[in-house]
Amino acid sequence: MMDEALKEEWIEALRDGRYRQGRQFFRCGDRYCAMGVLHELRGGEWRGDQALLNADHWVDSFEPVGVDADSAHTIALMNDNGSSFEEIADFIETNL
């Protein structure tokens, strides 16, 4: 189960407009995917725009904060397939 405080912070960050949405990358310039926003909020490390995660098993990197691999993959696909941050926040609110 996801930490409720972090979940609420993530949902708020997706909805409040402080992050611009991007696709295909955790972060590219000033744009983020939904999982990149979570990486940023939990104090994740970056090398330039590259999130410092295990590239082969990045979905597993979020299990310590309560986002299982299936949910992380679903959220990334939603983001990359055109769902808005608002739609993704609704999914997180209902499913995590």
Side-chain angles (χ1 to χ4, degrees):
M1 175 165 236
M2 186 169 192
D3 174 78
E4 280 300 315
L6 181 57
K7 177 180 171 179
E8 290 303 316
E9 184 180 8
W10 190 18
I11 290 168
E12 181 181 331
L14 292 173
R15 289 182 171 152
D16 70 11
R18 72 182 121 151
Y19 291 95
R20 293 180 62 203
Q21 190 171 11
R23 310 255 188 260
Q24 306 299 321
F25 298 96
F26 274 24
R27 179 175 76 185
C28 185
D30 66 344
R31 294 182 179 270
Y32 292 78
C33 80
M35 295 307 300
V37 171
L38 179 58
H39 183 69
E40 180 80 6
L41 293 174
R42 70 180 195 152
E45 294 183 54
W46 302 91
R47 180 176 299 130
D49 284 343
Q50 194 70 14
L52 296 181
L53 300 170
N54 181 331
D56 294 330
H57 303 285
W58 70 266
V59 293
D60 297 332
S61 301
F62 295 95
E63 287 187 1
V65 295
V67 180
D68 63 77
D70 287 339
S71 296
H73 190 252
T74 297
I75 292 165
L77 284 176
M78 288 176 71
N79 187 92
D80 291 347
N81 289 329
S83 295
S84 69
F85 274 174
E86 182 68 34
E87 291 167 322
I88 296 168
D90 290 346
F91 174 85
I92 293 165
E93 198 165 48
T94 303
N95 295 287
L96 296 183

